[in-house]
Amino acid sequence: AMGKLKGAAGTAFKAIGAAAIAAGAALAAFAANAVMAAAEDEKQTIRLTAALKARGYQMDALSPKIEEQIKSMQRLGFTDDQVRSGLEVGSRFFKNQENLLKANAVAANIAAATGKDLSTVMLAIGRGAQGTTRGLATLGIEVEKGAKLKDILRAADEKYLGVAEEVANSTSGKFAAAQIRFNEAIESFGSKLLPMVNEALAFLTEKALPVFEQLMSDLGPIV
């Protein structure tokens, strides 16, 4: 309405109005992307929780530690999905909570140092703990036949822990960690909108879509 003013004031308010429209559109797009990211994160968390519960883990005790590990592994350049993937693979081999978390942490160091996928490294560690050490050998981790998990993890740390620290402290490593923290902040923002989104989806599925479907059904024969 201010854009109807005459002269310089009108021009200024028109510019403000145009900027406000553009900002509003950008904010809406940002919020939509944040909600989609949060919804995807919610789905991945549900899947991991279901898998771990099925394998006998007590999630009341484990869930907070998973969140801690997700945050700590950001500095190595790993996203929450990658951390969860490593834990899911590890849970196929390890029934002890401490062993699972420790193995995943060591797998992250190896993956950061070698560029390998975290879940692939976790698979090699799990198989190595069961006596199949071929995957460990390809990573340059030499252990004796029948080595225990603690021996595998110690050998892996001796070889890769220092390299992983160098990667984390490099410019590229810090940049990757910053990107992940930025994305996590967006997901956190989106998660706060999920309750409102679910209300809107409930209205859509329970009220709006049935009316739309009936309309399409009625229009079909006419068209």
Side-chain angles (χ1 to χ4, degrees), residues 4 12 75 81 131 157 167 174 198 215 221:
K4 295 178 181 178
R75 65 184 298 270
D81 286 345
D157 273 345
V167 170
K174 290 177 181 178
N198 281 314
L215 176 63

Side-chain angles (χ1 to χ4, degrees), residues 45-60 62-63 66 87-88 90-96 100:
T45 300
I46 291 170
R47 286 176 173 173
L48 175 63
T49 299
L52 294 178
K53 279 185 176 179
R55 292 163 189 162
Y57 282 95
Q58 299 299 314
M59 297 309 298
D60 288 344
L62 184 56
S63 291
I66 291 176
L87 290 169
E88 191 281 319
S91 68
R92 304 173 195 174
F93 301 96
F94 310 120
K95 303 306 177 186
N96 177 277
L100 175 63

Side-chain angles (χ1 to χ4, degrees), residues 15-131:
I16 291 171
I21 292 170
L27 182 59
F30 173 80
N33 288 333
V35 166
M36 294 301 294
E40 181 63 25
D41 186 68
E42 180 185 52
K43 180 174 68 176
Q44 296 303 327
T45 300
I46 291 170
R47 286 176 173 173
L48 175 63
T49 299
L52 294 178
K53 279 185 176 179
R55 292 163 189 162
Y57 282 95
Q58 299 299 314
M59 297 309 298
D60 288 344
L62 184 56
S63 291
K65 295 179 181 179
I66 291 176
E67 291 305 312
E68 289 176 13
Q69 190 163 83
I70 286 173
K71 290 181 180 178
S72 68
M73 286 188 183
Q74 288 177 359
R75 65 184 298 270
L76 292 174
F78 295 108
T79 66
D80 51 0
D81 286 345
Q82 290 172 317
V83 176
R84 291 191 190 105
S85 180
L87 290 169
E88 191 281 319
V89 171
S91 68
R92 304 173 195 174
F93 301 96
F94 310 120
K95 303 306 177 186
N96 177 277
Q97 178 187 117
E98 184 178 346
N99 287 343
L100 175 63
L101 293 168
K102 176 61 177 175
N104 203 42
V106 172
N109 288 332
I110 298 170
T114 62
K116 301 287 186 182
D117 181 72
L118 195 156
S119 60
T120 300
V121 175
M122 191 63 155
L123 182 63
I125 291 175
R127 287 176 174 171
Q130 291 186 339

Side-chain angles (χ1 to χ4, degrees), residues 91-203:
S91 68
R92 304 173 195 174
F93 301 96
F94 310 120
K95 303 306 177 186
N96 177 277
Q97 178 187 117
E98 184 178 346
N99 287 343
L100 175 63
L101 293 168
K102 176 61 177 175
N104 203 42
V106 172
N109 288 332
I110 298 170
T114 62
K116 301 287 186 182
D117 181 72
L118 195 156
S119 60
T120 300
V121 175
M122 191 63 155
L123 182 63
I125 291 175
R127 287 176 174 171
Q130 291 186 339
T132 304
T133 59
R134 183 181 302 173
L136 293 175
T138 62
L139 294 169
I141 301 171
E142 300 294 337
V143 293
E144 295 182 4
K145 188 175 181 180
K148 302 295 184 182
L149 175 62
K150 63 179 182 179
D151 301 319
I152 294 171
L153 300 184
R154 183 174 61 251
D157 273 345
E158 288 174 356
K159 188 175 184 67
Y160 288 118
L161 181 58
V163 181
E165 286 297 316
E166 288 184 31
V167 170
N169 291 322
S170 68
T171 303
S172 177
K174 290 177 181 178
F175 184 67
Q179 285 181 308
I180 291 170
R181 285 187 63 182
F182 180 77
N183 289 334
E184 289 297 321
I186 292 175
E187 284 184 8
S188 178
F189 168 77
S191 68
K192 292 177 174 61
L193 301 179
L194 288 182
M196 289 179 285
V197 172
N198 281 314
E199 287 183 18
L201 288 173
F203 171 79

